[in-house]
Amino acid sequence: MSDSQTVSAAVAKLYDTYPFPPEPILDEPPPGYNWRWNWLAAYNFCTGRKPPQQDIRILDAGCGSGVGTEYLVHLNPQAQVVGIDLSAGTLEVAKKRCQSSGADRVEFHHLSIYDVEQIPGEFDLINCVGVLHHLPDPIRGIQALAKKLAPGGLMHIFVYGELGRWEVQLMQKAIALLQGNKKGDYRDGVQVGRQIFASLPETNRLVKREKERWAMENQRDECFADMYVHPQETDYNIDTLFELIDASGLDFVGFSNPGFWQLDRLLAKAPELIERAGELTERQRYRLIELLDPEVTHYEFFLSRPPLTKSDWSADNTLLAAIPELNPCIDGFPSQCLFNYDYQIVNLSTAEFEFMQNCDGKSTVADILTKVQFGLDEVRNLMKLQMILLTPA
């Protein structure tokens, strides 16, 4: 057995022992939404417009126990969804989860990401959350997925960041040392890890980080095992992350938490430093931000296969002719106080509220503006806030 096969077998054993994520199985659709898993919201975020089609194919690459897969099915009612995973035991949980909630437009395959070419056809959306960093060869993994992405398609990826997980790395190594020749016995690893945390002084840095950041989810052994006794993990920084992205041959669309990557969030009091940073490349600015705010526990972002056309709404006539509708990932409407696509509270002005009330998916912006006292710049602001989606004329 090759080193890669040995690691893959160890990863499969972990998830057969501790199926992950360990969310409860429901007999109804899961609550709320994750906009990154909603084709309409994600495509709008990446391009500035509603996608031209919704009858798409979605791949959940490394679907685990099916938590994300279930959302992908329910949030995209016209899509066909395929889930693949290395762990046969975890796949059984995924199948049971989706059957229970009525997520019946999904097929599952017991398959490594490396072997994804065995699935016929291409996919418009590939979701790969928390997987690539657990592969023995992440570059080979992302390249395999890239070959399955259709032209104009999107890939949503989540991988770990090294700066915000520094204490996690230390605990992983400590547990491995104490396990000795029992390394690979994941139940023993969880027991050892919990004993360590229970024994360390409360002032210990590892204990403090665990309590402030991870303790709630790590009450469950499945989460504790995934974090502290995983047999394979690669943590990234901006430099190594873009080495991975460049190797995919795909275009980087952007991070899905763009607010974090704004330098003025950190250096607003020093405009001269922001001006200096203007001489840096985009990637150098990203690196500067994570060095100044090393809380990056993960990177979540979109890649695309060209051609992915981004809409330009700067021309008034183009905007006036567009048809607006509400972003499907908002909660609380009709109300002037609601949750936006990222579950942040937004208080709409009366004019914003009236405009959104008239977004019926049929009327153009020009039609609505005959009824509501509202300006085009205010429409553009609603777009910027991801409150509405536009379909070009």
Side-chain angles (χ1 to χ4, degrees):
M1 187 180 290
S2 68
D3 290 344
S4 179
Q5 290 173 320
T6 300
V7 171
S8 294
V11 172
K13 178 185 175 184
L14 170 70
Y15 291 125
D16 286 343
T17 306
Y18 290 113
F20 185 87
E23 305 304 320
I25 293 176
L26 306 175
D27 58 2
E28 59 185 1
Y33 51 80
N34 180 330
W35 70 268
R36 298 164 182 85
W37 294 337
N38 183 297
W39 173 244
L40 296 181
Y43 193 92
N44 181 72
F45 178 86
C46 293
T47 68
R49 61 154 291 173
K50 180 182 176 180
Q53 64 183 69
Q54 298 182 51
D55 54 337
I56 62 168
R57 295 187 78 215
I58 299 174
L59 173 66
D60 197 10
C63 63
S65 66
V67 172
T69 320
E70 185 181 37
Y71 274 99
L72 287 166
V73 175
H74 285 292
L75 293 177
N76 302 285
Q78 297 184 39
Q80 290 297 318
V81 181
V82 175
I84 65 172
D85 201 85
L86 191 64
S87 165
T90 304
L91 271 180
E92 289 304 312
V93 178
K95 292 175 184 177
K96 183 177 180 181
R97 181 187 306 281
C98 288
Q99 289 169 358
S100 180
S101 73
D104 53 3
R105 285 171 293 100
V106 58
E107 61 181 65
F108 290 102
H109 297 270
H110 182 207
L111 202 64
S112 164
I113 283 177
Y114 297 147
D115 299 321
V116 69
E117 76 277 359
Q118 295 180 24
I119 305 292
E122 296 177 320
F123 294 91
D124 305 285
L125 175 63
I126 295 177
N127 181 64
C128 190
V129 171
V131 182
L132 288 175
H133 51 237
H134 289 319
L135 297 181
D137 189 346
I139 286 179
R140 180 185 166 198
I142 200 172
Q143 289 175 339
L145 292 177
K147 292 176 182 177
K148 302 301 289 182
L149 187 63
L154 297 174
M155 187 183 298
H156 167 236
I157 294 178
F158 172 114
V159 292
Y160 289 152
E162 66 178 12
L163 295 180
R165 289 175 60 88
W166 183 75
E167 293 88 353
V168 172
Q169 296 169 31
L170 297 183
M171 179 58 78
Q172 289 170 344
K173 293 172 183 176
I175 292 171
L177 279 173
L178 286 172
Q179 275 200 280
N181 60 12
K182 294 194 74 174
K183 185 178 178 182
D185 179 340
Y186 301 116
R187 295 192 187 281
D188 178 73
V190 169
Q191 182 181 9
V192 169
R194 293 205 182 282
Q195 284 183 296
I196 292 174
F197 276 123
S199 302
L200 289 172
E202 291 188 5
T203 55
N204 178 272
R205 178 169 175 169
L206 305 189
V207 172
K208 289 193 291 186
R209 179 64 166 171
E210 168 71 9
K211 286 184 176 179
E212 72 182 21
R213 184 67 177 82
W214 313 110
M216 183 70 71
E217 61 190 88
N218 282 342
Q219 290 178 16
R220 295 176 289 189
D221 285 350
E222 294 90 345
C223 295
F224 192 96
D226 181 70
M227 178 167 290
Y228 289 118
V229 298
H230 206 290
Q232 172 63 36
E233 181 175 311
T234 302
D235 295 342
Y236 291 89
N237 58 48
I238 283 295
D239 295 333
T240 56
L241 177 71
F242 277 97
E243 289 174 5
L244 177 73
I245 291 170
D246 291 343
S248 74
L250 302 175
D251 289 347
F252 177 70
V253 179
F255 291 111
S256 64
N257 58 336
F260 181 88
W261 301 101
Q262 301 301 312
L263 188 59
D264 57 2
R265 176 179 67 84
L266 301 169
L267 296 179
K269 295 180 180 178
E272 66 279 7
L273 294 181
I274 294 179
E275 184 178 354
R276 283 195 183 195
E279 300 176 7
L280 302 176
T281 66
E282 181 180 59
R283 296 183 185 186
Q284 287 175 326
R285 285 195 293 275
Y286 290 149
R287 179 60 174 161
L288 176 62
I289 290 166
E290 74 171 359
L291 290 172
L292 296 176
D293 189 6
E295 288 294 315
V296 183
T297 60
H298 67 273
Y299 305 92
E300 200 157 3
F301 55 94
F302 288 98
L303 305 179
S304 70
R305 178 174 296 287
L308 183 72
T309 304
K310 297 188 178 182
S311 293
D312 181 359
W313 302 107
S314 58
D316 289 353
N317 288 341
T318 303
L319 181 55
L320 286 166
I323 297 174
E325 60 189 275
L326 300 186
N327 190 318
C329 292
I330 58 176
D331 192 24
F333 194 85
S335 169
Q336 287 185 237
C337 181
L338 48 78
F339 288 107
N340 71 359
Y341 72 114
D342 233 1
Y343 279 107
Q344 297 172 326
I345 293 177
V346 173
N347 290 294
L348 300 173
S349 69
T350 300
E352 288 173 331
F353 180 64
E354 291 178 355
F355 181 89
M356 289 176 61
Q357 282 185 307
N358 283 276
C359 291
D360 56 10
K362 300 176 183 178
S363 305
T364 65
V365 170
D367 293 335
I368 297 174
L369 294 186
T370 64
K371 308 173 187 177
V372 179
Q373 292 296 314
F374 207 56
L376 288 180
D377 286 343
E378 293 169 299
V379 175
R380 292 186 178 100
N381 187 57
L382 285 178
M383 293 162 44
K384 182 179 178 181
L385 295 173
Q386 306 288 316
M387 302 301 291
I388 59 173
L389 320 178
L390 294 181
T391 298

